[in-house]
């Protein structure tokens, strides 16, 4: 076996790819339902849109809240089914396609980690072999993460960043704990910022190198690889938790990166131990029986419940999303019961976390700002069906009713973001 | 000698693509569009800028200053504040299509400012 062949094609343990795939898809499902859907009101407002790629603008319809919600709900439901039933490669490809179209349809979504997730999903799709994971695809995904961290480090090789100037000016409000910590340990504030800037760059660089080496650590006689991975795992945990603690608005980015670090960098024996315990706990709860497959092809028909749940959500595009997933599941009857479970879970999660309330209040805010009083009123009245408006929004609702009845326009001050 | 597999080509191609795409931003000499270059928290990203937009309607001599957030959704305004060229170009074309005849968008970042001007083609 040549060195190239050994490096990319030698067998790997199935646990790391499986854990990564399941965790990534589960988080992705909730990300689609709970984080993406409330932002749907922005899409196509005023008939203006710019996609991430010029060619996409030419072939796709003008995005709209309905289209965006359909894409997000379908992607989320298929991700959940694929995660819980060890879904086939074609289903993972659909999830990858759905997620990628979701962010690339508009520059309204400019989160870089959404692009990173697309790359990870490509890796997950290719790593999903028939019986055993595909070793080269798994290793390539690790290398890909290493490249991303390395470029993130390169961004910070900048005099203003390394001196701490940019960190204090641009991120100072979020990183208030840096000068406080510096003072506590007897350092000056400027030294604190300098260490924060330099530290972030070094952490990115170390994590880059760690991920580049990680795919070859299991079974390697080189002990330094295991040590580097463990140091990287601890660094990744501390780094991403500190980012989370600082309150940056980066949605679930830290969750994804911490999960990746657990699956790639933690010792295999630790993962085996945790996997065993989780499996036993799920067996005790009879979870596999709840979502499993009885062997009857007719179970695929259970997916017909998805459009009903979608219709009950009272969101544009939700019933269509349910219909699309129920058709997809006819080609994968094994996922029928899981789709039913997933649809109900989606409905419950969106209800508890008031996703519909947030969608309609954001929509009202957009319409109001663009001077469209009637749609703004309609959206705010619908929001009131799904959550408590509070005093400020109730006042806004009254103002809107009056504006619509008198044909006047409410002009918001430029900085106003709070209501509706 | 072993035949080259499709997966071998994919591995090499993917690594080159993943290095080449962000590297192309540096080779272009930077710029406001930092997508796909993994420039999280970059100097560009952290620089604060302001926009001023004026437009002239057909047949009217004077230009009037317009509030951008009343013309397009707020996220587009943020994208233009960051200097996203594709969004600025699309916005100017959009306003022309909405009936404006002359547009000026000024973007000021500290002491540096840039101005985008567009004269709209009259509708046929």
């Amino acid at each position: 076996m040549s060195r190239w062949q050994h490096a990319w094609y030698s067998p790997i343990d199935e646990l790391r790819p499986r854990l990564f795939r399941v965790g990534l898809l589960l988080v992705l499902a909730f990300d689609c339902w709970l984080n993406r859907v409330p932002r749907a009101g922005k899409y196509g407002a005023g008939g203006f849109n710019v996609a991430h790629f010029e060619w996409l603008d030419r072939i796709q319809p003008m995005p709209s809240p309905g289209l965006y919600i359909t894409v997000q709900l379908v992607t989320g439901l298929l991700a959940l089914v694929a995660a819980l039933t060890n879904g086939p490669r074609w289903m993972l490809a659909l999830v990858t396609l759905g997620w990628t179209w979701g962010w690339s349809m508009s520059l309204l979504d400019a989160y870089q980690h959404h692009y990173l997730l697309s790359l990870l999903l490509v890796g997950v799709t290719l790593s999903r072999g028939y019986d055993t994971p595909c070793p080269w695809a798994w290793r390539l995904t690790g290398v890909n993460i290493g490249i991303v961290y390395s470029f993130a480090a390169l961004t910070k090789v900048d005099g203003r960043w390394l001196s701490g100037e940019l960190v204090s000016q641009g991120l100072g409000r979020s990183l208030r704990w840096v000068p406080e910590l510096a003072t506590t340990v007897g350092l000056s504030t400027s030294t604190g910022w300098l260490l924060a800037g330099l530290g972030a760059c070094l952490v990115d660089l170390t994590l880059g190198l760690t991920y580049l080496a990680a795919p070859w650590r299991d079974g390697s006689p080189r002990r330094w690889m295991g040590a580097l991975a463990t140091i990287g795992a601890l660094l990744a945990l501390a780094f991403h938790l500190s980012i989370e603690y600082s309150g940056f608005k980066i949605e679930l980015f830290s969750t994804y990166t911490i999960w990746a670090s657990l699956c790639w960098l933690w010792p295999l024996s630790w993962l085996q131990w945790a996997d065993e315990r989780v499996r036993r706990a799920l067996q005790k709860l009879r979870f596999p029986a709840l979502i499993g497959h009885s062997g009857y092809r007719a179970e695929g028909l259970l997916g017909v419940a998805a459009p009903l749940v979608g219709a009950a959500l009272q969101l544009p595009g939700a019933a269509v999303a349910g219909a699309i997933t129920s058709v997809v599941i006819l080609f994968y009857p094994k996922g029928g019961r899981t789709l039913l479970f997933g649809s109900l879970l989606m409905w419950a999660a969106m209800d508890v976390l008031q996703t519909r309330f947030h969608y309609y209040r954001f929509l009202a805010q957009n319409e109001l700002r663009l001077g469209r009083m009637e749609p703004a009123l309609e959206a705010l009245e619908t929001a009131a069906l799904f959550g408590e408006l509070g005093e400020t929004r109730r006042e806004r609702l009254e103002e809107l009713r009056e504006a619509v009845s008198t044909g006047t326009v409410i002009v918001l001050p430029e900085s106003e973001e709070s209501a509706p | 000698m072993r035949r080259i597999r499709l997966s071998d080509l994919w591995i090499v191609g993917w690594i080159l693509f993943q290095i080449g795409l962000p590297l192309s931003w540096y080779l272009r000499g930077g710029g406001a569009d930092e997508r796909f270059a993994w420039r999280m928290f970059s100097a560009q990203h952290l620089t604060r800028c302001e926009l001023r937009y004026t437009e002239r309607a057909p047949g009217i001599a004077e230009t009037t200053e317009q509030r951008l957030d009343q013309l397009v959704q707020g996220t587009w305004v943020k994208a233009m504040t960051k200097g996203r060229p594709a969004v600025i170009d699309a916005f100017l074309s959009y306003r022309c299509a909405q009936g404006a005849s002359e547009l000026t968008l000024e973007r000021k970042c500290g002491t540096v400012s840039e101005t985008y001007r567009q004269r709209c083609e009259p509708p046929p």
Side-chain angles (χ1 to χ4, degrees):
Chain A
M1 195 186 260
S2 72
R3 284 181 74 175
W4 170 270
Q5 246 185 313
H6 185 263
W8 293 101
Y9 297 97
S10 56
I12 51 171
D13 193 281
E14 61 82 41
L15 182 61
R16 288 187 193 274
R18 173 165 57 80
L19 285 185
F20 182 64
R21 181 177 67 241
V22 172
L24 179 79
L25 292 170
L26 284 178
V27 179
L28 190 88
F30 286 94
D31 201 358
C32 289
W33 303 334
L34 306 175
N35 279 327
R36 308 315 316 148
V37 168
R39 285 161 173 79
K42 301 196 254 186
Y43 285 74
F48 181 75
N49 185 60
V50 186
H52 275 265
F53 311 106
E54 221 177 312
W55 58 265
L56 192 54
D57 263 333
R58 285 198 288 271
I59 60 168
Q60 72 175 6
M62 171 61 74
S64 64
L67 175 68
Y68 187 73
I69 289 176
T70 301
V71 172
Q72 296 304 330
L73 297 189
V74 168
T75 306
L77 283 169
L78 292 181
L80 189 94
V81 172
L84 297 182
T85 65
N86 194 17
R89 211 180 236 184
W90 63 264
M91 187 173 277
L92 295 171
L94 282 182
V95 173
T96 307
L97 199 67
W99 174 261
T100 305
W101 189 28
W103 62 259
S104 63
M105 72 165 69
S106 176
L107 276 164
L108 285 169
D109 183 345
Y111 281 109
Q112 297 207 40
H113 78 267
H114 289 172
Y115 164 51
L116 172 63
L117 286 177
S118 286
L119 299 178
L120 297 180
L121 285 168
V122 169
V124 159
T125 305
L126 295 174
S127 304
R128 165 82 171 85
Y130 291 100
D131 298 318
T132 53
C134 176
W136 66 264
W138 171 250
R139 291 186 171 116
L140 188 58
T141 312
V143 169
N144 205 152
I145 303 177
I147 292 171
V148 172
Y149 272 112
S150 304
F151 272 104
L154 183 61
T155 304
K156 297 176 180 79
V157 182
D158 173 304
R160 288 173 65 204
W161 178 278
L162 293 176
S163 67
E165 183 194 335
L166 268 179
V167 191
S168 66
Q169 282 176 6
L171 308 172
R173 213 184 300 169
S174 300
L175 296 176
R176 270 189 294 246
W177 56 272
V178 170
E180 285 167 16
L181 185 66
T183 317
T184 311
V185 296
L187 296 172
S188 69
T189 309
S190 58
T191 310
W193 289 122
L194 185 140
L195 290 176
L198 198 63
C201 181
L202 286 175
V203 169
D204 274 338
L205 189 64
T206 311
L207 286 175
L209 294 173
T210 308
Y211 271 104
L212 289 173
W216 291 277
R217 65 170 291 195
D218 291 332
S220 167
R222 299 184 186 93
R223 291 181 68 180
W224 64 265
M225 285 179 95
L228 178 66
T230 309
I231 291 169
L234 295 172
L235 264 183
L237 197 62
F239 184 53
H240 290 292
L241 283 178
S242 75
I243 289 176
E244 205 53 31
Y245 175 74
S246 304
F248 292 118
K249 290 179 182 172
I250 47 170
E251 299 185 345
L252 294 175
F253 177 60
S254 306
T255 312
Y256 290 113
T257 47
I258 288 172
W259 184 248
S261 71
L262 292 177
C263 296
W264 250 282
L265 307 179
W266 285 68
L268 189 61
S269 54
W270 295 13
L271 295 178
Q272 284 164 337
W273 181 87
D275 180 55
E276 187 57 38
R277 263 113 207 113
V278 172
R279 272 170 181 259
R280 264 192 238 159
L282 290 176
Q283 289 285 0
K284 264 189 191 168
L285 293 169
R286 299 188 180 280
F287 188 70
L290 175 72
I291 60 153
H293 179 47
S294 62
Y296 294 110
R297 288 190 69 81
E299 265 190 19
L301 295 173
L302 283 175
V304 82
L308 301 177
V309 175
L313 273 177
Q314 297 180 54
L315 283 170
V320 178
I324 292 172
T325 43
S326 65
V327 170
V328 172
I329 235 61
L330 289 177
F331 297 92
Y332 183 64
K334 197 180 159 189
R337 211 191 291 184
T338 316
L339 179 59
L340 174 64
F341 168 78
S343 305
L344 294 171
L345 184 66
M346 174 181 78
W347 182 86
M350 291 174 95
D351 195 58
V352 169
L353 293 169
Q354 296 194 315
T355 308
R356 292 170 292 180
F357 172 68
H358 296 306
Y359 164 72
Y360 282 109
R361 80 176 172 86
F362 282 139
L363 181 65
Q365 186 172 309
N366 284 327
E367 299 289 8
L368 181 60
R369 200 165 276 285
L370 292 171
R372 292 152 46 104
M373 297 298 111
E374 278 184 48
L377 174 62
E378 195 186 328
L380 198 54
E381 282 179 334
T382 315
L385 300 175
F386 299 111
E388 181 56 44
L389 286 185
E391 196 178 332
T392 319
R393 290 194 185 100
R394 272 200 301 274
E395 283 171 14
R396 178 70 80 211
L397 186 63
E398 288 312 314
E399 284 171 25
L400 270 169
R401 282 181 181 142
E402 199 179 321
V404 168
S405 65
T406 56
T408 52
V409 174
I410 300 171
V411 179
L412 295 182
E414 254 181 290
S415 58
E416 188 174 346
E417 291 280 352
S418 54
Chain B
M1 201 171 129
R2 188 177 76 89
R3 276 177 56 202
I4 293 176
R5 289 190 245 186
L6 196 61
S7 50
D8 293 335
L9 296 176
W10 179 274
I11 292 167
V12 174
W14 190 260
I15 291 175
L16 287 177
F17 171 59
Q18 288 306 315
I19 295 174
L21 188 61
L23 203 59
S24 68
W25 182 87
Y26 292 90
L27 297 176
R28 282 198 308 269
D33 190 355
E34 295 183 310
R35 286 173 306 147
F36 315 121
W38 309 118
R39 293 186 51 78
M40 285 76 91
F41 303 124
S42 66
Q44 172 91 29
H45 181 79
L46 297 174
T47 305
R48 299 198 184 282
C49 302
E50 284 174 5
L51 291 177
R52 186 170 173 268
Y53 174 68
T54 55
E55 71 176 34
R56 191 165 66 81
I60 295 174
E62 70 269 23
T63 57
T64 49
E65 186 166 349
Q66 304 263 344
R67 260 179 58 182
L68 286 164
D69 67 327
Q70 292 178 337
L71 302 176
V72 283
Q73 206 280 331
T75 309
W76 296 118
V77 183
K78 281 183 195 159
M80 287 191 277
T81 310
K82 290 202 180 299
R84 286 271 164 89
V87 180
I88 291 174
D89 289 348
F91 172 74
L92 296 177
S93 304
Y94 171 77
R95 288 308 295 165
C96 282
Q98 300 272 309
S101 72
E102 203 179 309
L103 326 164
T104 307
L105 182 70
E106 286 175 68
R107 181 169 171 264
K108 199 172 173 202
C109 310
T111 53
V112 183
S113 69
E114 50 192 12
T115 306
Y116 303 84
R117 282 201 178 85
Q118 186 154 325
R119 226 175 247 282
C120 305
E121 296 281 328

